[in-house]
Amino acid sequence: MQDSVLSKLHPIDIASIIESQKENEKLITFLMLPKDIKAEVFSYLSPVLQEEMIQKLGSTQTAEVLENMAPDDRTEILENIPDTLIKESINLLSDKEKNIALSLLGYPEGCIARLMTPYYVQAKKDWTIKRTFDHIKKYGKKAETLNFVYVVDDNNKLIDDIRIGMLLVTDDKQTLESVMDYEYKSLITTMSKEDAIHYFDKYDRAALPVTTVDGTLVGIVTFDDIMDEIEKRDTEDFQKLGGVEALEFSYTETPLLSLVRKRAVWLIVLFAGEMLTASALAFFENEIAAAVVLVMFIPLIISSGGNSGSQAATLIVRAMALKELTIKDWFYVMRKELFSGFSLGLILGVVGFLKIAISHNYTGADYGDHWLALAFTILFSLIGVVMWGTLSGSMIPILLKRLKLDPATSSAPLVATLVDVTGIVIYFSVAALLLTGKLI
Amino acid sequence: MQDSVLSKLHPIDIASIIESQKENEKLITFLMLPKDIKAEVFSYLSPVLQEEMIQKLGSTQTAEVLENMAPDDRTEILENIPDTLIKESINLLSDKEKNIALSLLGYPEGCIARLMTPYYVQAKKDWTIKRTFDHIKKYGKKAETLNFVYVVDDNNKLIDDIRIGMLLVTDDKQTLESVMDYEYKSLITTMSKEDAIHYFDKYDRAALPVTTVDGTLVGIVTFDDIMDEIEKRDTEDFQKLGGVEALEFSYTETPLLSLVRKRAVWLIVLFAGEMLTASALAFFENEIAAAVVLVMFIPLIISSGGNSGSQAATLIVRAMALKELTIKDWFYVMRKELFSGFSLGLILGVVGFLKIAISHNYTGADYGDHWLALAFTILFSLIGVVMWGTLSGSMIPILLKRLKLDPATSSAPLVATLVDVTGIVIYFSVAALLLTGKLI
């Protein structure tokens, strides 16, 4: 009966009825509401009552309420109330459902909140050390890492982290405040996993607390999850750099067909790009027909550009992943790579030059009357192609980052393909310049 | 006086003299020995006295003695006596000297002992929990991670690890033995850093104890150093896979000339390898002269082999680094890669075939009367080249590992170069088979 009467009211009114009821009745009234109204009514309850409700509702009920709530209301609740209990119930779910729940709770994929665990020890500054230890005895058993006690104020805002070691060596009648320095390191829920890795690298902590933007403590992230994230990030970068779409599972666990698909995508893209080499070569058909000797050096020239480009792309992508370089450093990188490219191109060019000179003059090879012009063509082409390789290999990742894309997408094969096409143009242009009237 | 008398004796005799002396005299006699004899005498002292001596000698003296000792004697000492004090003194040294000292102490580069820290809490099983906490209060302040107390027997052999959380929730009058389960995870001093990373990945511990082969506890390794090692390992693998010798410092910290040098080495090797493409092409000079159209597709064909090889090499090198694959899996990998290679080659081959067919029949391109034979040449060449690419890309890393070399050395560019040369041979062989009497 009560059910049907209540359901005719506006959720706000139901909420105020619940608020006005006696302690025990509140929960009963709430539980008897129809499923579709529950979530809305819940969002109108006062934060304090919301907290109480969650404490009394089982995890299934809590999950149900949260699931049916509008995402913004849900996020607000999560951001505003000290929600150890929400997190407790989420932690009872399977990994898959936990992911869904956290996402429902307003934390998008890729943000550090997804890795939070609720098993940490929090305390208030006026607690004595003895009380803190008693608290740990009661609640700290599950705490993943017991290196720190997190001190919060009355609004659950984080105000300090205290090393347990520090508490163990201090007289246990003293309050926490006596050892507090109000200096702490923390992460923010919306921070990216990449940035969180950087924090862990920097501060060498086994765990870091996570707060909302306004400083409310909502969880901790532990080193083991960060370690997994580092390996996951690097594996993805490896695969992308190698010209494979990032695999979802390990090599052994990836089914053959999905492995082929992940590789085919990029191979086809690269193949399509590489078709331009055929067009470029077709453009120089007359030169080729006139001087077949030029053909011999095509793979040598373009692969040198590709290799130097792969090197540059690898170095820059990795340096950016480790935050050693940012897009602001583009000019520094460009200068360094142009100089490197020039030096490397000169080295290879001289090797190529000598190879032709020696082959022609001291072995059976015959590069004709114009062998010297040919040798110079190789020398200058290599300088040009290698410089172009290092320049594209280094600038493409930075450009991708600038466009908010993953720099690792500039796979070594992608850079190599780009440089193959332009390499042909550079090579035959130099040849046209130096050999016209001689060989061609 | 005593000095000169003693120095005439054999170190074994001096050692026995010292052993026989009274407590206070022992140290004095030892300290008065000439520098060059000290180390040898020390190695003849009984392990118990060695330990006492080290406790009394300052860190400078200890370092001096150890430095002048034969490496095998030194290692023996380290392996045999409970050497918290040696480690303490080593820890007083700068990072550079610590490295040297640890290396002098018999731990070669790359083994996990190099990452040990002596700041951990060890206890005996008959201690009460209260006594353990008192001990922590006294000595545990510096302990890097306070998650575990390590229980050792009278010979300093590790027999258990106990979570501090467990102690906090147990009555403090009980002995450690009452909560012990004699099950623990530990590393061995000589274990490689790679293997240690794998252990940390597996057990999610913030720290793991390190013992000698016979189980003596000598230190702990903490997650933060392991995290650094993971990133170091991955950076090295990235650079090697990208065809760069691993840099010692970050990209930004590496001086330009050393950057050029690290890259030039591999570029020259690859360039020399790629010169074989010129030889291969020279071998097919007549075919080329007869059918210039074949030239157009050279970069397309060989780069497809290179790209698929890079993909395979990247996947396999990474999977081996994460220990998802070992050399024993070579047959599994070979089958998977041959099938992948066939599928990928077929896909690219069909794309290539269609491109020629469509270009010839519907656009301006003219591939002559034998366009169909040419299209089939491209199709079959691509299948062959891509299969060869995935096969070499996947087998070379496994072969390198088998030869106890780093699989990452099989850089993507190296595989690509190898496949470039053989790709030309495959392409022109297929062409000879299908086009002789037609185009060539």
Side-chain angles (χ1 to χ4, degrees), chain A residues 133 136-137 141 144-147 163-165 168-169 197 200-201 204-206 223-224 226-228 230-231 233-235 237-239 241-244 247 250-257 259-260 263-264 266-268 270-271 274-275 277-278 281-282 285 288-289 292 295-300 302-304 307-308 310-312 314-316 318-319 322 324-325 332-333 336-337 339-340 343-344 347-348 351-352 355 382 386 390 413 417 420 424, chain B residues 133 136-137 141 144-147 163-165 168-169 197 200-201 204-206 223-224 226-228 230-231 233-235 237-239 241-244 247 250-257 259-260 263-264 266-268 270-271 274-275 277-278 281-282 285 288-289 292 295-300 302-304 307-308 310-312 314-316 318-319 322 324-325 332-333 336-337 339-340 343-344 347-348 351-352 355 382 386 390 413 417 420 424:
Chain A
F133 277 123
I136 293 175
K137 274 187 201 173
K141 208 171 185 173
E144 287 211 11
T145 54
L146 249 182
N147 293 22
R163 226 174 255 274
I164 296 256
L168 281 170
V169 298
I197 290 173
F200 271 86
D201 272 346
D204 285 348
R205 292 275 171 90
F223 74 96
D224 49 325
I226 293 295
M227 222 135 99
D228 292 346
I230 291 177
E231 298 205 323
R233 172 197 71 187
D234 289 353
T235 301
D237 281 1
F238 265 104
Q239 293 171 347
L241 260 178
V244 187
L247 303 182
S250 72
Y251 177 81
T252 47
E253 288 160 356
T254 305
L256 199 48
L257 280 179
L259 192 66
V260 169
R263 290 155 82 161
W266 268 110
L267 275 189
I268 293 171
L270 296 172
F271 190 78
E274 200 74 30
M275 276 182 183
T277 57
L281 286 170
E285 200 169 356
I288 293 172
V292 171
V295 171
M296 310 297 141
F297 301 101
I298 292 176
L300 187 65
I302 64 179
S303 73
S304 297
N307 290 338
S308 57
S310 300
Q311 290 186 333
T314 307
L315 288 172
I316 302 307
R318 184 60 179 165
L322 297 180
E324 290 163 9
L325 283 178
Y332 161 81
V333 172
K336 205 164 180 173
E337 287 305 311
F339 183 87
S340 299
S343 315
L344 294 168
I347 293 170
L348 296 190
V351 174
K355 145 91 181 159
L382 279 168
V386 171
T390 55
T417 300
D420 277 0
I424 288 171
Chain B
F133 277 123
I136 293 174
K137 275 188 198 172
K141 208 171 185 171
E144 286 210 12
T145 55
L146 249 184
N147 291 21
R163 226 174 253 277
I164 296 259
L168 281 171
V169 298
I197 290 173
F200 271 86
D201 272 346
D204 284 349
R205 293 277 171 89
F223 74 95
D224 50 322
I226 293 295
M227 221 134 101
D228 291 346
I230 292 176
E231 297 206 322
R233 173 198 70 186
D234 289 352
T235 301
D237 281 0
F238 265 104
Q239 293 172 346
L241 260 177
V244 187
L247 304 182
S250 73
Y251 177 80
T252 45
E253 287 160 358
T254 305
L256 198 49
L257 279 179
L259 192 65
V260 169
R263 291 157 81 161
W266 267 110
L267 275 190
I268 293 171
L270 297 171
F271 190 77
E274 201 73 32
M275 276 182 183
T277 57
L281 287 171
E285 200 168 357
I288 293 172
V292 171
V295 171
M296 309 297 142
F297 301 101
I298 293 175
L300 187 64
I302 64 178
S303 74
S304 297
N307 290 339
S308 57
S310 300
Q311 289 186 334
T314 306
L315 288 172
I316 302 306
R318 184 59 178 168
L322 297 180
E324 291 164 6
L325 283 178
Y332 161 81
V333 172
K336 205 164 182 173
E337 287 304 312
F339 183 87
S340 299
S343 316
L344 294 168
I347 294 171
L348 295 190
V351 174
K355 145 92 182 160
L382 278 169
V386 171
T390 55
T417 299
D420 276 359
I424 288 171

Side-chain angles (χ1 to χ4, degrees), chain A residues 316-388:
Chain A
I316 302 307
V317 167
R318 184 60 179 165
M320 288 210 287
L322 297 180
K323 301 199 186 282
E324 290 163 9
L325 283 178
T326 67
I327 43 176
K328 283 190 196 133
D329 300 312
W330 70 273
F331 191 66
Y332 161 81
V333 172
M334 197 177 78
R335 270 188 322 175
K336 205 164 180 173
E337 287 305 311
L338 277 178
F339 183 87
S340 299
F342 178 76
S343 315
L344 294 168
L346 187 65
I347 293 170
L348 296 190
V350 169
V351 174
F353 185 95
L354 291 177
K355 145 91 181 159
I356 291 178
I358 293 168
S359 297
H360 182 80
N361 293 304
Y362 300 100
T363 74
D366 181 13
Y367 293 113
D369 292 345
H370 301 293
W371 67 270
L372 194 61
L374 178 68
F376 273 114
T377 303
I378 302 298
L379 170 63
F380 291 126
S381 298
L382 279 168
I383 295 177
V385 168
V386 171
M387 278 182 82
W388 175 242

